[in-house]
């Protein structure tokens, strides 16, 4: 699946945004405005000015809506949710080549809030996945104690864990130990 650079960045951003939710047991990764500033900085979200409590609440609401998209059981439901997010953000596609990146499309309006920026750009990246018939690539980690979001971009759509080095390896080691224990007692 060929994904343009800016779409890939937006997909990574939406996954990281989803994984700030407190449902994973690690607390809210957007607990305060300082955490929102850090998220914006870490993801090179452009055109963001001063942030406040209103921005934090709005980004958390966008995060909740993206959670619904990842949990949608069919493409039609995902599409409806994405359409609502993108429309509410006041989408205004523009070609740009800022900060050393080649030409790419920003979908947010000039001067948009950080929540509208994320809703528009990340929503359009998710729209790209749905249009390609690949909504089943929007997944949650299958490790019983995890559940973090990820986009499966593997060639054969076989990725099961958010990170094979942590969740995947931990489960494989546990299964190996269980087999060895069973063999020793059996």
């Amino acid at each position: 699946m060929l994904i343009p650079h800016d779409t890939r960045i937006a997909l990574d951003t939406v996954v990281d945004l989803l994984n700030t939710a407190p449902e994973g047991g690690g607390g809210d990764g957007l607990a305060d405005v300082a955490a929102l500033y850090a998220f914006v900085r870490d993801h090179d979200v452009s055109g963001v000015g001063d942030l406040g409590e209103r921005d934090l609440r709005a980004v958390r609401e966008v995060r909740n809506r993206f959670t619904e998209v990842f949990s949608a059981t069919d493409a039609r439901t995902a599409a409806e949710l994405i359409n609502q997010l993108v429309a509410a953000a006041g989408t205004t596609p523009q070609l740009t080549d800022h900060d050393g990146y080649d030409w790419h499309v920003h979908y947010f309006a000039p001067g948009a809030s950080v929540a509208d920026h994320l809703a528009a750009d990340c929503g359009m990246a998710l729209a790209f996945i749905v249009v390609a018939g690949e909504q089943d690539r929007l997944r949650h980690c299958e490790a019983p104690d995890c559940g973090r979001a990820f986009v499966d971009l593997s060639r054969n759509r076989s990725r099961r864990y958010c990170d094979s080095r942590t969740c995947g390896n931990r489960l494989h080691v546990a299964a190996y130990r269980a087999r060895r224990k069973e063999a020793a007692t059996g």
Side-chain angles (χ1 to χ4, degrees), residues 80-153:
E80 289 171 5
L81 293 165
I82 292 167
N83 285 340
Q84 291 168 9
L85 267 164
V86 170
T91 307
T92 307
Q94 297 179 57
L95 286 168
T96 184
D97 66 342
H98 65 89
D99 299 330
Y101 293 108
D102 285 334
W103 289 105
H104 60 283
V105 180
H106 280 186
Y107 294 98
F108 57 93
S113 70
V114 66
D116 285 346
H117 179 134
L118 292 170
D121 273 1
C122 296
M124 290 305 297
L126 292 173
F128 176 84
I129 296 295
V130 172
V131 166
E134 303 287 353
Q135 187 228 342
D136 61 331
R137 290 181 182 268
L138 306 178
R139 300 194 177 161
H140 289 92
C141 185
E142 291 182 18
D145 58 343
C146 184
R148 291 174 57 90
F150 67 94
V151 179
D152 179 6
L153 296 177

Side-chain angles (χ1 to χ4, degrees), residues 50-62:
D50 291 333
L51 299 173
E53 288 295 327
R54 177 184 292 174
D55 296 298
L56 181 61
R57 285 189 302 276
V59 169
R60 285 178 180 159
E61 180 56 34
V62 166

Side-chain angles (χ1 to χ4, degrees), residues 13 16-17 20 28-46 48-52 55-56 59 114 118:
T13 300
D16 289 348
L17 179 62
T20 66
D28 192 343
L30 293 177
D32 53 30
V33 174
L36 179 57
Y37 270 114
F39 183 88
V40 165
R41 181 195 64 241
D42 292 347
H43 293 86
D44 293 322
V45 179
S46 61
V48 175
D50 291 333
L51 299 173
D55 296 298
L56 181 61
V59 169
V114 66
L118 292 170

